[in-house]
């Protein structure tokens, strides 16, 4: 049974465990996203910026976001074929850098839900905090998915086109013309 907008907006859960940010994971992620900033690789460079350890690239929290989105579609918003869910927009608010040693928690909210023309537009809000509850990052992810029951609905009848396929205006069927 697909979710109904009135039932789903405001739903919340917290990922069951924290994510501990490791030094080598920050370096690996920086390499993977081709971020050359030295503060992602070198503690002295991070210290020059006032940080006690390496700082992660801005999009590092997407590692948590991926886990969060999977949980959303298994625990909060069920009935969707995940191969048919399209990530359409992302907005991020950075409160402070993610740093090596952080233990990050992620609270996930269904921020909005709209259904139209057999499609569901779902906005998921992730609030990432550190072990002390201080905000680290807030993200909003917009996804579009076919309404789960849309696949079982019969297709609407097709209208007759004024020129059925294969016929030309005032002439014989295309492909079957005769020479005169």
């Amino acid at each position: 049974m697909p979710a109904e907008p009135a039932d789903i907006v405001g739903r919340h859960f917290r990922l069951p465990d924290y994510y501990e940010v490791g030094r080598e994971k920050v370096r690996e992620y920086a390499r993977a996203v081709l971020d050359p900033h030295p503060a992602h690789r070198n503690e002295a460079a991070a210290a020059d910026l006032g940080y006690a350890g390496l700082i992660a690239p801005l999009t590092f929290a997407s590692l948590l976001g991926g886990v969060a989105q999977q949980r959303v579609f298994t625990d909060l918003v069920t009935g969707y074929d995940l191969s048919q869910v399209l990530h359409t927009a992302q907005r991020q608010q950075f409160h402070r850098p993610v740093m090596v040693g952080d233990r990050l928690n992620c609270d996930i909210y269904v921020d909005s839900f709209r259904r139209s023309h057999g499609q569901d537009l779902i906005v998921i809000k992730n609030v990432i905090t550190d072990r002390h509850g201080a905000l680290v990052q807030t993200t909003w992810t917009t996804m579009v998915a076919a309404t789960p029951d849309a696949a079982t609905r019969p297709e609407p009848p097709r209208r007759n086109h004024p020129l059925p396929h294969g016929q030309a205006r005032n002439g014989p069927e295309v492909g079957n013309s005769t020479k005169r």
Side-chain angles (χ1 to χ4, degrees):
M1 182 78 166
E4 292 300 323
D7 298 334
I8 195 168
V9 174
R11 285 193 187 174
H12 163 261
F13 75 90
R14 175 175 269 213
L15 288 181
D17 202 3
Y18 61 84
Y19 180 92
E20 188 157 0
V21 180
R23 185 176 77 165
E24 295 310 313
K25 191 64 172 180
V26 167
R27 288 176 173 158
E28 174 187 323
Y29 187 87
R31 278 191 307 274
V33 298
L34 305 175
D35 190 330
H37 198 286
H40 305 318
R41 293 176 175 80
N42 182 297
E43 282 89 357
D48 288 345
L49 296 173
Y51 298 103
L54 298 181
I55 57 173
L58 291 173
T59 57
F60 186 85
S62 67
L63 296 173
L64 263 169
V67 172
Q69 286 180 21
Q70 286 177 338
R71 292 293 304 271
V72 162
F73 284 100
T74 57
D75 296 348
L76 293 179
V77 184
T78 59
Y80 292 91
D81 175 357
L82 295 183
S83 71
Q84 300 298 309
V85 175
L86 178 65
H87 180 153
T88 61
Q90 182 81 35
R91 185 167 59 106
Q92 298 173 314
Q93 183 178 15
F94 301 98
H95 306 288
R96 72 158 178 83
V98 172
M99 297 179 281
V100 167
D102 274 341
R103 288 184 177 181
L104 302 175
N105 291 299
C106 185
D107 287 286
I108 304 151
Y109 301 86
V110 178
D111 205 46
S112 68
F113 184 109
R114 193 175 86 198
R115 178 168 288 156
S116 179
H117 298 72
Q119 299 292 311
D120 293 346
L121 185 68
I122 306 160
V123 178
I124 305 300
K125 178 181 176 182
N126 295 332
V127 178
I128 299 170
T129 55
D130 64 17
R131 71 182 93 199
H132 307 291
L135 286 172
V136 176
Q137 193 173 107
T138 306
T139 65
W140 294 263
T141 304
T142 304
M143 292 167 278
V144 175
T147 301
D149 66 345
T152 60
R153 281 188 242 146
E155 213 175 291
R158 294 181 180 209
R159 300 175 119 196
N160 288 334
H161 191 277
L163 295 174
H165 180 70
Q167 292 185 359
R169 227 181 262 280
N170 299 324
E173 215 175 294
V174 175
N176 292 332
S177 63
T178 57
K179 292 186 179 180
R180 292 190 183 172

